[in-house]
Amino acid sequence: YGILIRGSHRAATPTGISVNSPAYDFYLRGKVNSDSENRENNASAISLLEQAIAADPNFAPAYAELARAYNIKARFYFSSEADQKKLVENAEVAVEKALTLNPRFAEAEYVLGLCLRDVHRNAEALAALTRAVDLTPALLPAREELAELGRCFGGRRHQPATAVAAIDHLPARAANAALDRRRIDAGI
């Protein structure tokens, strides 16, 4: 996958990095590979994201995406328990670096929540996902994970208000609620 940005303009991303910078190019290519979630693309994603960080050590999105790629590798592609432990540690270090660079970075809080969930630190995962949704309510993957973890972690009445709101505002939930209202109105 290659991403070619044409033109002489140098637009800036919300993170302030130029879209024409090598770090941003490596980041986008790594993110595409990370999203496909297979062994080869995961390895490519890690390599590209490490290159993004080498090109710009202060690029928080690259650290967050690298943490996600490490977490995916730890969850699905590790070869030993020691490998898995090292990958989980690498993911935690990368996501903490992203949050050090940008403490209000919702995507990093989301990735932190995924990492914590996968090592069964559910209360901490719930808190990280809640922060992600509080920072960026439109971050749908964080809302979905928060809702799912909230359902698994004690039921609706024990969930924080953000988890309840995340559940109530998911598109499928809204569609089901509308269907339920129509059934009630029709006396079914």
Side-chain angles (χ1 to χ4, degrees), residues 152-168:
C152 296
F153 189 62
R156 185 180 176 96
R157 68 182 168 173
H158 299 294
Q159 296 169 21
T162 305
V164 172
I167 293 168
D168 289 342

Side-chain angles (χ1 to χ4, degrees), residues 5-175:
I5 299 174
R6 297 182 186 265
S8 59
H9 69 284
R10 296 184 63 86
T13 66
T15 60
I17 191 165
S18 168
V19 295
N20 289 338
S21 76
Y24 192 68
D25 181 57
F26 287 131
Y27 164 74
L28 286 178
R29 291 171 40 215
K31 188 169 179 62
V32 167
N33 282 313
S34 181
D35 284 344
S36 56
E37 296 184 3
N38 68 48
R39 186 182 304 268
E40 295 78 25
N41 286 356
N42 180 263
S44 177
I46 289 171
S47 174
L48 289 162
L49 293 163
E50 287 172 343
Q51 291 176 66
I53 290 166
D56 184 352
N58 295 315
F59 190 26
Y63 284 100
E65 194 61 33
L66 180 61
R68 191 167 86 83
Y70 282 143
N71 191 56
I72 290 167
K73 186 173 182 178
R75 191 169 182 199
F76 300 111
Y77 310 123
F78 68 94
S79 57
S80 71
E81 194 170 315
D83 288 344
Q84 183 183 30
K85 184 177 180 182
K86 182 65 175 164
L87 288 164
V88 168
E89 289 172 5
N90 289 347
E92 288 178 3
V93 167
V95 77
E96 289 301 329
K97 178 66 175 182
L99 287 167
T100 298
L101 291 168
N102 184 350
R104 298 189 47 79
F105 187 27
E107 184 75 24
E109 290 286 0
Y110 162 65
V111 171
L112 177 61
L114 296 179
C115 293
L116 293 167
R117 175 206 65 195
D118 289 344
V119 295
H120 311 291
R121 291 166 54 187
N122 293 333
E124 293 168 86
L126 200 57
L129 292 166
T130 298
R131 287 190 301 272
V133 170
D134 286 346
L135 288 167
T136 306
L139 187 58
L140 187 59
R143 295 177 73 83
E144 291 171 341
E145 286 296 331
L146 179 60
E148 182 60 30
L149 190 59
R151 279 192 286 270
C152 296
F153 189 62
R156 185 180 176 96
R157 68 182 168 173
H158 299 294
Q159 296 169 21
T162 305
V164 172
I167 293 168
D168 289 342
H169 290 97
L170 287 174
R173 179 80 173 185

